């Protein structure tokens, strides 16, 4: 992420920090417009698993460093309020014991800030030195006496930058990330209208992994599978 882009986001997000309650995304016209969808008791749900590329396009915050992101939408039965809660969701990595509840925007932003603070840039560059040796000395490489004179040695230099210099490492950066993630997150609370938004699951993504989203709906467990 470029520092210029990060600065622009900082200004915009801090201006709306007072309105950081989740607003979510615009629900699609129906649940079946999502790759994974189902229906029951007059309620429809749909969801899609964001690829790393899609996550980079959707968020300025680097959510790929900590989370699997799912966009979730729910369509309540007409005139019947439905309560949406993050506690109702679980994401499982198929074929393993790995499972997680979605994290709040506050927790995700704090995790990303810590990762940025811990990041160190390591650079390796070639080096050479020139010196003068008088007299003669034993050369272990050839097994003979080496006469004095000018000599050179080669090697590499390793430089480690101080941690905390990356975008996302400051307290202001954390606040900006929390604002973005909160505004795009799935809104919680009672609703009679369709709602949609993102869920952030603290699970490391692996190649060719399959996931199963579990959602407790009116006491029943609804499952959606993703690849």
């Amino acid at each position: 992420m470029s520092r210029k882009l990060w600065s622009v986001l900082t200004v915009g997000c801090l201006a709306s920090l007072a309105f950081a309650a989740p607003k979510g995304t615009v629900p699609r016209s129906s649940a079946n417009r999502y790759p994974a969808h189902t229906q029951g008791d007059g309620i429809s749900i749909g969801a899609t698993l964001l690829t790393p590329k899609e996550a980079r396009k959707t968020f300025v915050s680097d959510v790929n460093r900590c989370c699997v992101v799912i966009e979730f939408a729910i369509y309540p039965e007409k005139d019947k309020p439905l309560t949406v809660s993050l506690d109702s969701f679980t994401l499982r990595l198929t074929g393993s014991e790995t499972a997680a509840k979605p994290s709040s925007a506050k927790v995700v932003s704090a995790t990303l800030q810590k990762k940025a603070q811990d990041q160190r840039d390591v650079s390796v560059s070639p080096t050479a030195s020139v010196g003068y040796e008088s007299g003669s000395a034993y050369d272990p490489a050839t097994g003979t006496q080496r006469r004095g004179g000018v000599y050179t040695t080669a090697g590499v230099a390793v430089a480690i930058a101080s941690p905390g210099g990356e975008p996302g490492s400051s307290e202001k950066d954390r606040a900006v990330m929390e604002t973005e993630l909160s505004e795009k997150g799935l809104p919680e609370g009672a609703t009679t209208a369709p709602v949609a938004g993102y869920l952030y699951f603290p699970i490391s993504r692996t190649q060719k992994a399959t996931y199963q989203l579990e959602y407790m709906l009116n006491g029943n467990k609804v499952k959606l599978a993703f690849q």
Side-chain angles (χ1 to χ4, degrees):
M1 182 191 309
S2 71
R3 294 183 181 275
K4 182 178 181 181
L5 179 59
W6 189 260
S7 298
V8 172
L9 180 67
T10 299
V11 174
C13 287
L14 288 180
S16 61
L17 189 57
F19 307 97
K23 299 177 182 177
T25 59
V26 178
R28 301 180 188 181
S29 58
S30 63
N32 59 19
R33 295 292 183 179
Y34 291 87
H37 55 272
T38 190
Q39 183 177 347
D41 297 329
I43 300 171
S44 300
I45 61 174
T48 181
L49 173 70
L50 269 64
T51 66
K53 183 177 180 179
E54 289 171 336
R56 285 192 293 270
K57 292 177 62 177
T58 303
F59 299 93
V60 177
S61 305
D62 192 2
V63 291
N64 287 325
R65 300 182 68 181
C66 70
C67 301
V68 170
V69 182
I70 289 179
E71 184 179 15
F72 180 86
I74 188 164
Y75 301 77
E77 189 174 4
K78 186 177 181 180
D79 299 326
K80 290 188 178 181
L82 178 71
T83 300
V84 179
S85 171
L86 295 184
D87 291 335
S88 300
F89 296 91
T90 301
L91 185 67
R92 298 187 183 277
L93 182 61
T94 305
S96 75
E97 297 299 319
T98 302
K101 293 287 188 179
S103 294
S104 67
K106 183 175 182 179
V107 170
V108 176
S109 60
T111 300
L112 293 176
Q113 180 192 24
K114 186 177 187 305
K115 288 181 178 292
Q117 288 175 335
D118 292 343
Q119 182 172 327
R120 293 169 178 260
D121 290 331
V122 179
S123 62
V124 180
S125 58
T127 63
S129 60
V130 179
Y132 183 82
E133 187 178 66
S134 61
S136 61
Y138 177 74
D139 188 342
T142 62
T144 61
Q145 291 291 321
R146 183 183 63 202
R147 299 182 60 185
V150 177
Y151 68 89
T152 62
T153 60
V156 294
V158 179
I160 303 178
S162 299
E166 293 297 312
S169 61
S170 72
E171 185 61 27
K172 182 182 292 186
D173 293 336
R174 186 206 58 75
V176 170
M177 291 186 289
E178 182 177 349
T179 299
E180 181 193 25
L181 297 171
S182 179
E183 289 185 343
K184 295 179 180 179
L186 179 68
E188 294 187 272
T191 182
T192 57
V195 294
Y198 295 104
L199 299 168
Y200 315 108
F201 293 95
I203 295 180
S204 298
R205 185 184 291 271
T206 58
Q207 289 186 344
K208 298 182 179 180
T210 59
Y211 302 90
Q212 178 175 275
L213 178 66
E214 299 176 353
Y215 176 56
M216 293 302 298
L217 178 61
N218 295 334
N220 298 313
K221 184 182 293 185
V222 179
K223 300 178 181 180
L224 296 175
F226 307 93
Q227 291 186 345

